[in-house]
Amino acid sequence: MFGIPGKQAVTLTPAAIGQITKLMAREGHKGLRIGVKKGGCAGMEYTMDYVDEIEAHDELIETDGARVMIAPMAQMFLFGTEIDYETSLLESGFKFKNPNVVDACGCGESIKFDETLFAKR
């Protein structure tokens, strides 16, 4: 929808691929759907949900057996994002390295996008 032909909207690190394939196998899901919604102290939050049906307008990213679907309204916000999975002593989870984010809250749960970037599209 907002992509460049021949270039994936998001990329997955090997750690993210491993975690996504584990999650898919555990429950028999077809993948994970990633989106964004209004919320949090910075204005927007990422969403992740299990997918049992691939929607017609989802952007499908498939890498080494890991499937990620990007909701249509999130595609322009996520273009160029690298998704990683990190484990530390205190927490583990998916991390988004998104070039479109201009600010994030202190806890890292919500983000703010550069509005001028999307006004041009």
Side-chain angles (χ1 to χ4, degrees), residues 20-72:
I20 292 167
T21 53
K22 265 192 243 177
L23 292 171
M24 289 170 56
R26 184 182 309 157
E27 300 289 330
H29 298 291
K30 291 188 177 181
L32 294 177
R33 179 172 291 114
I34 299 171
V36 293
K37 69 177 184 174
K38 288 186 178 189
C41 48
M44 301 288 280
E45 298 175 319
Y46 294 112
T47 62
M48 294 186 88
D49 298 297
Y50 291 111
V51 173
D52 293 319
E53 284 296 318
I54 300 170
E55 303 288 328
H57 296 293
D58 282 346
E59 170 104 13
L60 175 62
I61 308 297
E62 193 163 9
T63 306
D64 297 332
R67 273 189 226 100
V68 171
M69 283 57 100
I70 303 173

Side-chain angles (χ1 to χ4, degrees), residues 9 11 23 29 58 62 67 69 71 74 78-79 81 88 91 101 108 113 118:
T11 57
L23 292 171
H29 298 291
D58 282 346
E62 193 163 9
R67 273 189 226 100
M69 283 57 100
L78 294 174
F79 193 79
T81 298
S88 71
E91 66 181 1
V101 170
F113 294 103
F118 302 109

